[in-house]
Amino acid sequence: GTWERPRDEGTIPELLDRSGTDWSTAASGKWHRSGPRTANGYAHPNRQGFDHAAGSINNLYFDDEDSAAKGDTNYFHWEKNVDGQVELANTYATATTTADALSWVAGAREPRILYVAYNAAHSPFHAPPGSGVAASAGAPALHGAMVQDLDREVGRLLAGLPAGQRERTLVVFVADNGSPKSTITPPRLPTHGKTTLYEGGTNVPLIVAGPGVFRGGTTDALVHVVDLLPTLAEWAGVDPAKTGSPLDGVSFGDVLRPPASPGRRRFVYTERFGPTGPPPWQVDTRAVRDDRYKLLVGPDGEAFFDLLGRDDDGPARRPEELSGEERARYEALKAELERVERDARFAY
């Protein structure tokens, strides 16, 4: 479509540009924040502060919108955007993203920040080169093979950093959403995956490693993906207010340092609305959770979940069933949900 990420919303490289230190910045892989028909199109990543960008600006199942003669695109045949210039790539996209990242690292001066966004394990599902999985295997098996291949590529990326640089590099790995319906197998529920606000759709991996980060453990602290910008800004010694935009995130730097703190968040809010753009929306679902409980509000009304000891949502309960501590927690979640709905308006 024509919607793209508004350029007046600050990015991490733009923030670093305002720090007074000359950072090298690059993006390798998927840039799903603009498109061929948006205002800034293929130039968008560079205009959002990246010195260099190489990758796709669509999912890899899109044909070129301006020339159908180029045929179907996929992980083996796709449109590659290099600093605003488009070329057809006939290399395997996951491996190419790693290779492009390492090529840039080899020549980039420090300090630097590299954003690596793999298309995998997004559809179209397929057997990666050398996986040994049959092309006719079902979506769960193909998706699993793509995840394994992605894992190897992340390992290749880290192993490919020049000697001594890995030890002084902060590495953050994060996913953007849960698995799609066709790849989910029992005991998980396909209806609780990607595009939903159940834990299977929104609770994603977050791994941080590097100098100053506690080693070999996990934390139960509440963290949201919007917290990455202020956390990286703090780590780089930059005031995140220099983005010039209101911040939804809070730094979780204290969670990473030994001894780890419980973090600054009491709540994590998520939403799904559509179609893209201002209301009215055909889809409008919202959820908020604390360290144990979750409130989800959608077309079927309110549902309350106890997440203790789970990585799924468990049985849904209605607010009228609650009493005591659970009722108090529900009221706090409801108040936070109402606060966000009041304060977070569609701005464009």
Side-chain angles (χ1 to χ4, degrees), residues 8 100 209 223 293 303:
D8 60 353
D100 287 343
V223 173
Y293 297 102

Side-chain angles (χ1 to χ4, degrees), residues 12-333:
I12 292 169
E14 288 175 325
L15 176 63
L16 295 175
D17 282 343
R18 299 167 188 161
S19 69
T21 300
D22 188 13
W23 284 74
S24 301
T25 60
S28 178
K30 181 178 179 180
W31 182 263
H32 212 181
R33 288 149 180 80
S34 63
R37 301 192 184 284
T38 67
N40 292 278
Y42 296 98
H44 192 259
N46 301 96
R47 292 175 181 173
Q48 286 269 218
F50 286 99
D51 300 331
H52 174 65
S56 65
I57 65 168
N58 273 327
N59 289 319
L60 295 180
Y61 53 73
F62 279 100
D63 289 344
D64 180 277
E65 296 186 24
D66 298 316
S67 176
K70 292 183 179 178
D72 290 339
T73 56
N74 54 51
Y75 277 77
F76 302 87
H77 175 78
W78 50 285
E79 261 199 359
K80 183 178 181 181
N81 173 37
V82 181
D83 295 328
Q85 300 300 310
V86 183
E87 58 190 49
L88 277 179
N90 293 300
T91 56
Y92 185 58
T94 310
T96 300
T97 294
T98 303
D100 287 343
L102 289 174
S103 176
W104 180 81
V105 164
R109 54 175 171 67
E110 298 185 58
R112 62 179 177 230
I113 185 165
L114 172 62
Y115 171 61
V116 185
Y118 290 96
N119 291 79
H122 199 285
S123 61
F125 304 125
H126 59 276
S131 68
V133 175
S136 59
L142 295 174
H143 183 261
M146 292 172 69
V147 171
Q148 288 186 322
D149 183 72
L150 169 64
D151 185 63
R152 285 190 293 269
E153 288 298 320
V154 171
R156 184 164 76 97
L157 175 62
L158 297 179
L161 293 177
Q165 292 189 6
R166 171 66 185 87
E167 291 74 18
R168 62 177 185 268
T169 299
L170 182 71
V171 177
V172 180
F173 178 93
V174 64
D176 58 349
N177 50 249
S179 299
K181 180 186 297 186
S182 64
T183 69
I184 298 174
T185 57
R188 303 297 179 200
L189 299 175
T191 53
H192 285 199
K194 178 180 177 179
T195 74
T196 78
L197 299 190
Y198 294 107
E199 293 297 284
T202 63
N203 192 340
V204 297
L206 174 63
I207 304 168
V208 184
V213 179
F214 77 88
R215 299 174 63 88
T218 61
T219 171
D220 293 327
L222 293 174
V223 173
H224 195 292
V225 68
V226 297
D227 298 337
L228 284 171
L229 184 145
T231 303
L232 295 177
E234 178 189 287
W235 218 262
V238 181
D239 181 0
K242 288 182 179 293
T243 60
S245 304
L247 292 177
D248 296 312
V250 294
S251 172
F252 57 90
D254 292 345
V255 174
L256 303 176
R257 299 183 178 94
S261 82
R264 304 180 191 179
R265 278 197 174 274
R266 289 185 58 210
F267 304 103
V268 168
Y269 169 82
T270 52
E271 66 185 6
R272 181 171 183 243
F273 61 88
T276 303
W281 296 304
Q282 298 171 8
V283 176
D284 188 358
T285 309
R286 303 165 189 267
V288 63
R289 64 160 295 177
D290 61 18
D291 60 349
R292 175 169 178 175
Y293 297 102
K294 176 177 178 178
L295 176 62
L296 190 154
V297 180
D300 297 325
E302 296 182 347
F304 183 81
F305 302 93
D306 185 351
L307 306 178
L308 182 64
R310 313 187 66 99
D311 54 15
D312 63 354
D313 297 83
R317 299 164 64 193
R318 295 295 181 185
E320 57 268 21
E321 303 170 10
L322 307 175
S323 61
E325 173 66 13
E326 289 187 332
R327 183 73 193 184
R329 290 287 197 105
Y330 161 77
E331 296 290 352
L333 291 170

